[in-house]
Amino acid sequence: MDTSQTRQLFEENFSVTPAHFAFAPGRIEFIGNHTDYNGGLVMGAAVTEGVTVAISLRADAFIHLVSEIGDSVQIPLGNYTPLSGAASWTNYPIGVTKVMSELGMAMSTGYNLAVTSTLPVGAGMSSSAAFELATAKALAALYGFETDTAGFARIGRKAENEFVGMPCGILDQGVSAFGRADHLVKIDCATEHFATEPMPGGAHFWIFNSNKKHALVDSAYADRHRECHEALAGLQADYPDATTLSQISQSQLEASTSKLDDRLYRRAAHIIGENDRVRAVQAALLNGDLAAVGAALSASHESSRYNFENSIPELDTLVDLLKLQPRVYGARLTGGGFGGAVMALTAPEFGQAQANIIAAAFEAQHGLEPSIFHTRAGDGARLL
Ligand code: GLA
């Protein structure tokens, strides 16, 4: 892992040598859309790109944070309130600092932190979770804090939920923490059980970032979160023991349609369908049946489009174009939706030439140049 850029940013700003470097990867959501905060199943992959932080202790009681993308920020130790505008990037490390302090991490002096990233911005590959995990690893090394891999993932999620204010599940932080080269990470979010499974040989990931973002992504995500809970409340009239949508089966949902209006029915159908598709993908992976994996990925996108309404026309175009390619097994939006990127699972023969054809057709239709990104499954968060 090349730390030269992070080192340079750090040394230019702080005139000392970093004590530690930590790296955490971004992620691809493979299958299992919006299931995480519904107690369901999800599979993702850490990518080889991510966020690197450099850190050192200060002699005073201040935290100094620098990045290539926003304002430098200095805050007194213990004075943790979310910032906005060009300083809002600091909410990730400060949120993590606050959570770890509450978990007992003793800090008698502050720290310097510099951050750099190799993740495409706004592509929905979770640079925020990567930043949280890299910060948590670096702080743990600096202040002698210990926890296990799941503990690091939970710290990141807690910072995101309680400090940044995003009601996300454990997917992004879990995959960034548990990633493994050439493996998928599978999470049972009901039990927070994390496992890795080998990626099928010869399968490749291509990411097409539409470069289009819904203006209200965060509030749209929060709306879906609320609608899932409303759907659950409706279904609990028939299934009082269910504490999450993931405990309700497709046939139970069909038997209880009278308990939901059309919109809430479709939200529930998406979550329940996604859990079934994660199971189908797992079985297909065991059989090495990439065509069946691809069919489930494409079905997931259709469900996003019609049931969960978290796609946008630009993502639909990318998926439709990709599905026409014989070397593409399947394609779907990856992550929260409402903009961002599409992920395609492809055969090795799919290359830059095929990707360029899709980009040109997309641009002709939407007047936007998509960013293309060929990546593979990489290792999880670590101290360098
Ligand atoms: C975002 C959230 C995740 C997950 C996905 C949708 O990436 O951060 O927790 O809910 O959306 O599956």
Side-chain angles (χ1 to χ4, degrees), residues 27 29 32-37 42 124 126 160 166-173 221 310 332 335-337:
R27 64 100 188 88
E29 176 191 284
N33 187 244
H34 286 255
T35 51
D36 60 354
Y37 59 83
V42 60
S126 271
E160 185 91 36
M166 243 290 272
C168 67
I170 196 75
L171 165 68
D172 306 341
Q173 293 80 11
Y221 184 92
N310 62 332
R332 60 178 293 270

Side-chain angles (χ1 to χ4, degrees), residues 24-27 51 92 117 119-122 124-132:
R27 64 100 188 88
V51 169
Y92 304 106
S117 172
L119 283 169
V121 183
M125 294 176 77
S126 271
S127 51
S128 56
F131 193 8
E132 289 153 4

Side-chain angles (χ1 to χ4, degrees), residues 212-278:
K212 177 96 182 191
K213 203 173 176 180
H214 195 293
L216 299 166
V217 181
D218 291 354
S219 67
Y221 184 92
D223 285 347
R224 291 300 177 276
H225 187 273
R226 183 178 37 75
E227 287 168 345
C228 287
H229 286 96
E230 286 170 12
L232 172 65
L235 292 167
Q236 278 169 335
D238 287 349
Y239 311 109
D241 294 341
T243 54
T244 68
L245 276 182
S246 301
Q247 291 166 355
I248 294 169
S249 69
Q250 193 71 47
S251 52
Q252 286 177 316
L253 173 65
E254 297 313 327
S256 297
T257 50
S258 64
K259 297 296 184 299
L260 303 174
D261 64 22
D262 173 60
R263 183 174 46 102
L264 291 184
Y265 166 79
R266 285 182 289 116
R267 303 304 187 246
H270 181 66
I271 302 306
I272 294 167
E274 283 295 283
N275 285 321
D276 288 342
R277 282 183 282 275
V278 174

Side-chain angles (χ1 to χ4, degrees), residues 25 133 136-137 145-157 170 172-180 185 192 194-196 379-382:
L133 268 291
K137 286 277 177 183
F145 176 90
E146 282 179 22
T147 186
D148 59 8
T149 309
F152 279 110
R154 285 187 200 113
I155 287 168
R157 178 186 178 192
I170 196 75
D172 306 341
Q173 293 80 11
V175 172
S176 185
F178 281 88
R180 183 169 164 202
V185 178
E192 289 199 352
F194 302 87
T196 58
D379 285 324
R382 57 200 181 269

